[in-house]
Amino acid sequence: MMDDGAYWDAFPTTLTTGDVAKILSVGKPAVLTRLKSGVIPGHLIVGSWIIFKAEVRAWLESTSNQAPPGPPEPVDVLADYAEEMSYRDLMELFGKTKQTIYTWLHSGEIPAFHAGNRWIIHKPQLRRKLAETSNQKTQHDQ
């Protein structure tokens, strides 16, 4: 079932804890516990869990008894975005409202440049932020 594209297509790019609970057939408290412990991949940004479908799918596929042992292959959730991103791109990527994205930009939680009346987010800086906020730590991070 986990390799069925139609199954995964039913879920948004950015998952809620409810989506993950449905996928794993567990309750939301179990999802939150597993996010906090790093079992389920996610990014904690300003107290909000950002959970990317591609990362969850890769993680689940790596836990299959048919998969080669080891960590899942890295997933680049920014691959389809331009080098310079807008607040609209962040709304789509994070599944958050314009107000939330603007709050994060104004507070500096998301690295960006404010040019006139426009926010510009450079993909390499956002990629670093996602690495910093990830609950998945590599050996040298520990």
Side-chain angles (χ1 to χ4, degrees):
M1 180 181 201
M2 288 302 155
D3 61 344
D4 183 5
Y7 173 79
W8 286 102
D9 288 345
F11 293 98
T13 302
T14 305
L15 303 171
T16 65
T17 54
D19 293 331
V20 177
K22 182 177 178 182
I23 291 166
L24 299 178
S25 299
V26 299
K28 287 182 188 179
V31 170
L32 288 171
T33 298
R34 292 173 182 163
L35 281 166
K36 289 176 187 171
S37 69
V39 172
I40 298 171
H43 304 266
L44 188 59
I45 299 177
V46 196
S48 291
W49 282 105
I50 306 297
I51 311 161
F52 296 114
K53 174 174 62 175
E55 291 180 344
V56 170
R57 188 173 181 182
W59 164 68
L60 283 174
E61 289 171 357
S62 76
T63 66
S64 166
N65 62 5
Q66 302 299 305
E73 288 295 314
V75 174
D76 184 3
V77 297
L78 301 178
D80 293 337
Y81 291 94
E83 289 301 308
E84 285 190 356
M85 299 170 63
S86 70
Y87 78 89
R88 286 184 182 92
D89 293 325
L90 295 183
M91 288 172 60
E92 175 185 297
L93 177 67
F94 293 142
K96 298 293 182 185
T97 65
K98 179 179 178 179
Q99 181 179 358
T100 298
I101 296 301
Y102 267 50
T103 298
W104 290 358
L105 290 168
H106 281 284
S107 69
E109 292 295 335
I110 301 295
F113 299 93
H114 195 230
N117 63 352
R118 189 170 165 245
W119 283 101
I120 302 169
I121 301 94
H122 288 150
K123 192 158 70 170
Q125 292 176 318
L126 183 57
R127 185 171 277 124
R128 278 193 297 278
K129 180 66 173 184
L130 289 175
E132 291 168 8
T133 60
S134 175
N135 66 358
Q136 305 294 295
K137 301 298 178 193
T138 60
Q139 285 289 16
H140 65 72
D141 290 339
Q142 297 176 355

